[in-house]
Amino acid sequence: MKKNIGVVMGGYSSEYQISLKSGDVVCKHLDPEKYNVYRIHILKNKWVYVAEDGTEIPINRGNFTITSEGNTIEFDCIFNAIHGTPGEDGYLQGYLELLEIPHTSCPMYQAGLTFNKRDCLAALKPFGIKCASSYYINKGQPINEDEIIAKVGLPCFVKANKAGSSFGVSKVHTKENLAAAIEVSFKEDDEIIIESFLDGTEVSVGVITYKGEVTVLPITEIVSENDFFDYEAKYQGKSQEITPARISDEMTQKVTEVAKKVYNTLKMKGFSRSEYIFVDGEPYLLEVNTIPGMTTESILPQQAAKAGISLNELFNNAIEEAFKA
């Protein structure tokens, strides 16, 4: 009997449109011989199953079911394609885990930890993971620009602590531009992280559980036409994403080992994509993403393709791994 798979997409953050694209790609490539696939939009104003003809059927939030033509449909597994809240920060994971519905993402705690850049980096530093110097501000706290610059230097990066897709991120070259960058970040989150600028080669590393094994995918080098890998560079063609990365075998081995260590140290499951910058041949961790983009142009699917893993295999494997959890 075919399993009922709900593919959840959308979310409540600035990333919801990207998530809808990811979810549509997942729906297209899941095996119709094995699964009944349901496209589910989780948005601020509605949770609905969207049928092929555009008809919307509300989700029963009490047990995450839908009722169609008098029949109640329960889901055997949820494929999580929501970037940002509530799909990447632990809320959806906790909800599904309470309902005992398997899902393709990491567990609730890991999702909450990795979504919080500050806490994730703090948790990993004791394990020898190298990171940039950083300074933290909560909304409402006094801002001491001289203290910030003394800690992280210039240029520096000002980031929303809990946001993705480069929303709320600015590169600051002068003290005069620092306050404006902080305001931009506070529009996305009430916590911000300010990091020192690391000058080196940037790479993105996909790590997944594939056929029961923690697997590091071919590494992608990021070459942005802009000042950094911002939203325009990521999604509007202003960057080169070169897989495999043009780095030495030694650098490849180092970042592969670090990425796998991060995945295992955090006790991750499902998908992850972590970003690093090489400084003097050593990889420095920037952040960990647990619901990376899943469009055909996205980095992790490109990496999987280089490893000989098709989108069909990648997504079907995620479902099978979720059943094992």
Side-chain angles (χ1 to χ4, degrees):
M1 184 179 293
K2 292 201 288 186
K3 303 284 189 181
N4 292 332
I5 308 300
V7 180
V8 297
M9 62 193 84
Y12 304 164
S13 76
S14 300
E15 299 181 83
Y16 79 95
Q17 290 180 319
I18 301 161
S19 171
L20 293 175
K21 292 179 182 178
S22 288
D24 284 343
V25 171
V26 173
C27 290
K28 181 180 176 183
H29 287 91
L30 282 175
D31 189 347
E33 297 298 317
K34 296 174 69 174
Y35 309 124
N36 298 312
V37 179
Y38 296 84
R39 180 181 281 99
I40 297 172
H41 288 188
I42 292 183
L43 303 169
K44 285 182 179 179
N45 61 337
K46 60 184 177 183
W47 289 23
V48 293
Y49 157 57
V50 182
E52 289 295 326
D53 63 1
T55 301
E56 296 183 353
I57 299 174
I59 299 289
N60 181 337
R61 301 191 195 193
N63 56 12
F64 207 76
T65 62
I66 57 176
T67 301
S68 178
E69 298 177 352
N71 298 315
T72 297
I73 297 168
E74 299 180 349
F75 295 103
D76 298 294
C77 182
I78 298 299
F79 194 112
N80 184 2
I82 295 179
H83 314 310
T85 189
E88 199 167 4
D89 54 5
Y91 285 96
L92 183 66
Q93 288 86 342
Y95 168 75
L96 293 173
E97 287 158 20
L98 282 171
L99 293 175
E100 299 184 339
I101 301 174
H103 60 85
T104 58
S105 44
C106 63
M108 177 187 71
Y109 173 75
Q110 282 77 1
L113 178 63
T114 52
F115 196 68
N116 188 309
K117 298 180 182 73
R118 176 190 66 194
D119 293 354
C120 184
L121 295 174
L124 289 168
K125 282 179 182 178
F127 292 90
I129 305 301
K130 294 180 174 63
C131 311
S133 298
S134 53
Y135 187 101
Y136 310 116
I137 307 174
N138 294 329
K139 200 162 194 174
Q141 286 182 336
I143 297 169
N144 187 325
E145 295 181 352
D146 291 327
E147 187 175 281
I148 293 168
I149 293 168
K151 178 73 182 291
V152 303
L154 288 171
C156 64
F157 281 98
V158 181
K159 304 177 179 180
N161 189 42
K162 302 185 295 294
S165 294
S166 294
F167 287 108
V169 179
S170 304
K171 186 176 180 181
V172 175
H173 294 269
T174 66
K175 179 180 175 181
E176 290 71 27
N177 293 330
L178 187 58
I182 289 171
E183 283 306 308
V184 168
S185 292
F186 276 139
K187 289 178 181 177
E188 292 293 330
D189 189 21
D190 60 3
E191 301 171 356
I192 67 171
I193 177 170
I194 304 174
E195 293 181 326
S196 59
F197 169 63
L198 300 176
D199 190 10
T201 301
E202 182 172 353
V203 296
S204 184
V205 187
V207 185
I208 62 175
T209 302
Y210 187 69
K211 296 183 178 179
E213 298 289 333
V214 175
T215 302
V216 181
L217 298 172
I219 296 158
T220 299
E221 178 182 353
I222 307 297
V223 183
S224 177
E225 295 177 20
N226 295 347
D227 201 19
F228 66 99
F229 195 44
D230 60 5
Y231 182 90
E232 189 180 51
K234 280 184 179 178
Y235 299 109
Q236 296 175 1
K238 295 291 186 178
S239 69
Q240 294 181 64
E241 297 161 4
I242 302 165
T243 310
R246 301 168 301 179
I247 56 178
S248 68
D249 291 344
E250 181 183 4
M251 292 166 75
T252 298
Q253 183 178 351
K254 280 184 178 180
V255 77
T256 296
E257 290 174 355
V258 170
K260 194 169 187 177
K261 182 177 181 179
V262 166
Y263 192 94
N264 287 329
T265 298
L266 296 176
K267 297 183 179 179
M268 291 288 297
K269 292 180 180 177
F271 299 102
S272 81
R273 198 193 71 231
S274 47
E275 319 299 329
Y276 299 84
I277 289 182
F278 279 96
V279 179
D280 297 327
E282 297 294 325
Y284 282 67
L285 175 66
L286 299 179
E287 63 180 15
V288 179
N289 302 288
T290 60
I291 311 290
M294 289 298 167
T295 68
T296 50
E297 299 82 18
S298 297
I299 292 174
L300 192 139
Q302 289 182 42
Q303 295 173 337
K306 287 291 183 182
I309 303 170
S310 68
L311 289 179
N312 181 277
E313 292 169 322
L314 184 68
F315 300 152
N316 290 335
N317 174 78
I319 298 291
E320 297 309 313
E321 290 295 327
F323 285 131
K324 296 178 188 176

